[in-house]
Amino acid sequence: MIRVRTGIDGVPVYGAGRRGSVDDPANQGLAQLSSNESPFPPLPSVSDAIARAAAGVNRYPDIDGTVLRARLAGAHGVEEDQIVLGCGSIEVCHQAATISAEPGTEVLYAWPTFPEYTAITALAGARARRVPLTGWRHDVVAMAKAVTEKTRVVFVCNPNNPTGTAVGGAELAYLLDAIPSWCLVVVDEAYAEFADAPEFSSGLELLGTYDNLLVLRTFSKAYGLAGLRVGYGITSVELASLLRLAKIPFSVGSVALAAAVASIDAGSELAARTATIKAERDRVANHLAGLGWNLPSSQANFLWIPASEARADALERRCAERKVLVRKYPDGMRITIGTEEENDRLLGALGSPDDLPPTNVAATATSFAGGAGPS
Ligand SMILES: Cc1ncc(COP(=O)(O)O)c(C=O)c1O
């Protein structure tokens, strides 16, 4: 056996949402509401760009992603040098920890949240400090109090995965004011396109004020390119140049780059799809509230149903009987918003909370276990 780094065997394995292989006939009609993906196939213009780029994959991609970075800079009104790319925004999360965390330091985040922060922290050899959500929302006061001399990175998932709850502008500014400027604050906005003001406020609005702020976005969710792997961060020029040191060379392939640019070109068509998902989210949430479910307000493309493990088990079984895949957690269940037909099937499967075993989950989340994680 080889000698391994201390702590490597404690790194949690990424727990992707369950999925059914499309090649398996048994999965015909399966509603995959387990991984927060878009239910829509690529737009024709994006498929065309993918096909054109595929014809040139004997060549390496542009290592700097120059065209995409220029387009993103234009779209966000920032300089190209403020944009960093990654193989999904998850790579930019890794870059953030790689440049700042190390053994003897701490990485701070809420819990439950995107569990990859736990693996990232462990890989950097740092210690995780988790601050429980309060009422399924980030508790920015408790988070600010948890910052110490050792804190190197603070992750804020906004809207939060898996609860869908958002951090507002005043809360975000409070947190950034409370965190020392030598500590990197990563505001992970993978689901920002589904959020509405004033519940949600983007970190992008604070970029000019805080040089230690990194805002993450992705083409995996609202842009429907999860399978291609392209995400990005926007930050100060100085921080961006440091993050690029930790980037895996050529990690964003030429097909992904071309598809992302074509998706920016198709911005209005994609915005219409996002509006459809938001309307469906609100329809499903209202329907469930009418049935007696008590859900936190979601600003993402998924809903969080607080439930004891026994209830979540029962719910997952009901969904499976109707060929609906969902994501179960120790403290609840996360359901991604799909097409109207899929959502109707989900609603039929969930039924009323009165038919289930009694719940005992409080609106704080200290019992949430690590390891298995959502995508
Ligand atoms: C909060 C959050 N951040 C980042 C990611 C990773 O997204 P990407 O596909 O851009 O790597 C996910 C994926 O589910 C997520 O939920």
Side-chain angles (χ1 to χ4, degrees), residues 8 23 84 91 107 109 132 154-155 220 259 284 320-321 325 332 334 371 373:
I8 198 74
D23 300 330
V84 286
E91 190 200 334
V107 176
Y109 46 88
V154 178
F155 283 106
S220 297
V284 174
E321 279 160 18
L325 278 185
R334 191 194 66 192

Side-chain angles (χ1 to χ4, degrees), residues 14 35-36 86-93 113-117 157-162 188-191 216-221 225-227 229-232 302 334 374-375:
Y14 190 91
S35 293
N36 295 347
C87 175
S89 57
I90 212 164
E91 190 200 334
V92 191
C93 290
T113 192
F114 185 41
E116 184 63 7
Y117 305 150
C157 187
N158 191 27
N160 189 46
N161 179 6
D188 182 345
E189 298 186 355
Y191 302 96
L216 303 185
R217 293 286 177 100
T218 181
F219 284 90
S220 297
K221 308 295 179 182
L225 299 181
R229 316 302 306 126
V230 54
Y232 59 101
F302 52 86
R334 191 194 66 192
S375 54

Side-chain angles (χ1 to χ4, degrees), residues 48-343:
D48 288 349
I50 289 172
R52 277 196 303 278
V57 294
N58 52 313
R59 304 289 175 196
Y60 280 103
D62 172 9
I63 194 165
D64 295 321
T66 319
V67 177
L68 177 59
R69 281 176 50 230
R71 295 298 306 277
L72 288 170
H76 290 293
V78 297
E79 293 172 37
E80 285 168 46
D81 286 350
Q82 290 182 259
I83 311 268
V84 286
L85 299 181
C87 175
S89 57
I90 212 164
E91 190 200 334
V92 191
C93 290
H94 278 268
Q95 292 167 11
T98 303
I99 65 160
S100 49
E102 60 187 321
T105 69
E106 292 178 354
V107 176
L108 179 77
Y109 46 88
W111 199 254
T113 192
F114 185 41
E116 184 63 7
Y117 305 150
T118 303
I120 287 167
T121 304
L123 281 171
R127 181 173 170 265
R129 259 190 101 133
R130 296 168 173 184
V131 178
L133 300 177
T134 301
W136 303 114
R137 299 189 69 242
H138 276 77
D139 184 339
V140 291
V141 175
M143 286 182 78
K145 281 192 189 136
V147 174
T148 71
E149 278 290 312
K150 291 183 179 169
T151 315
R152 290 284 178 85
V153 188
V154 178
F155 283 106
V156 181
C157 187
N158 191 27
N160 189 46
N161 179 6
T163 56
T165 47
V167 178
E171 291 170 311
L172 204 52
Y174 171 88
L175 195 55
L176 280 153
D177 279 338
I179 294 172
S181 57
W182 42 257
C183 176
L184 173 53
V185 182
V186 183
V187 180
D188 182 345
E189 298 186 355
Y191 302 96
E193 290 84 357
F194 301 103
D196 296 311
E199 253 182 83
F200 165 86
S201 179
S202 173
L204 293 177
E205 289 169 33
L206 300 172
L207 274 179
T209 316
Y210 304 94
D211 284 348
N212 56 334
L213 171 62
L214 165 66
V215 179
L216 303 185
R217 293 286 177 100
T218 181
F219 284 90
S220 297
K221 308 295 179 182
Y223 285 83
L225 299 181
L228 278 178
R229 316 302 306 126
V230 54
Y232 59 101
I234 311 180
T235 185
S236 57
V237 172
E238 296 72 22
L239 195 42
S241 63
L242 286 170
L243 289 163
R244 259 178 236 119
L245 297 177
K247 182 178 177 298
I248 296 172
F250 305 112
S251 62
V252 188
S254 42
V255 177
L257 288 170
V261 170
S263 298
I264 296 172
D265 289 338
S268 53
E269 286 164 273
L270 287 163
R273 287 182 165 187
T274 301
T276 303
I277 294 292
K278 283 167 62 173
E280 275 297 292
R281 172 193 70 202
D282 295 344
R283 178 179 77 87
V284 174
N286 288 335
H287 189 103
L288 289 174
L291 289 174
W293 293 98
N294 187 11
L295 314 186
S297 162
S298 172
Q299 293 292 301
N301 65 338
F302 52 86
L303 296 172
W304 173 248
I305 302 185
S308 65
E309 205 158 3
R311 285 191 133 204
D313 275 342
L315 286 171
E316 190 188 38
R317 269 197 307 278
R318 281 191 191 182
C319 290
E321 279 160 18
R322 303 213 186 193
K323 294 186 104 173
V324 178
L325 278 185
V326 292
R327 189 67 197 261
K328 191 166 64 83
Y329 294 80
D331 284 0
M333 206 176 76
R334 191 194 66 192
I335 47 180
T336 305
I337 298 301
T339 62
E340 189 179 345
E341 182 278 318
E342 290 172 334
N343 300 333

